[in-house]
């Protein structure tokens, strides 16, 4: 079944249920608005988010650059939508959150602790190190490793 047929059958089902008739009507108008917006602005994908009672159409742009470009073209796009029968007075443009940046990768499996013999070797290196920075780094490593073992 194609996406258009799935969408049509979902709308038909919603319209058949009295409680969902208004939802079906809003869904159908949002689908139409999405098609009109896509036809009127082909530079990058936009997502129709909502249409308020006062005619404010909320749209999500892919990034800040697309949002800025869309703000410059707002009068043209609003005119395009009005000529096609949409009751749009103005746009409210949002930038989509980049979900790939928001999700952090899992840390992976826990690392094995450094063996005690290796920590003793690091202590010996720390004692004979000429560099103050190296001594502090080794001391911090040894402290951290021993604290982890006590947990």
């Amino acid at each position: 079944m194609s996406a258009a047929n799935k969408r049509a059958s979902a709308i038909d089902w919603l319209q058949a249920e009295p409680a969902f008739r208004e939802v079906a009507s809003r869904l159908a108008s949002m689908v139409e608005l999405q098609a009109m917006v896509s036809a009127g602005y082909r530079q990058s994908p936009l997502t129709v988010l909502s249409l308020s009672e006062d005619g404010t159409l909320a749209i999500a742009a892919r990034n800040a650059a697309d949002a800025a470009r869309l703000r410059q073209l707002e009068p043209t796009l609003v005119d395009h939508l009005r000529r096609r029968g949409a009751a749009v007075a103005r746009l409210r443009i949002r930038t989509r959150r980049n979900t790939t940046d928001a999700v952090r990768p899992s840390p992976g499996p826990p690392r094995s602790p450094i063996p005690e013999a290796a920590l003793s070797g690091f202590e010996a290196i720390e004692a004979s190190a000429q560099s103050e920075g190296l001594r502090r780094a080794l001391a911090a490593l040894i402290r951290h490793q021993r604290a982890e073992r006590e947990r």
Side-chain angles (χ1 to χ4, degrees), residues 87-103:
V88 175
R90 68 182 200 92
L91 300 181
R92 187 179 82 221
I93 302 157
R94 303 280 183 205
T95 302
R96 265 188 235 145
R97 284 192 155 165
N98 190 345
T99 57
T100 58
D101 290 342
V103 178

Side-chain angles (χ1 to χ4, degrees), residues 18-20 28 32 36 55-56 83 108 117-118 126 130 136 144 150:
F20 295 123
E32 283 180 49
M36 284 188 254
T56 302
R83 279 186 277 124
E126 176 194 359
Q130 300 292 321
R136 278 187 281 157
H144 175 75
E150 292 175 7

Side-chain angles (χ1 to χ4, degrees), residues 115-130:
E116 187 58 43
L119 288 177
S120 297
F122 284 140
E123 284 177 327
I125 295 170
E126 176 194 359
S128 64
Q130 300 292 321

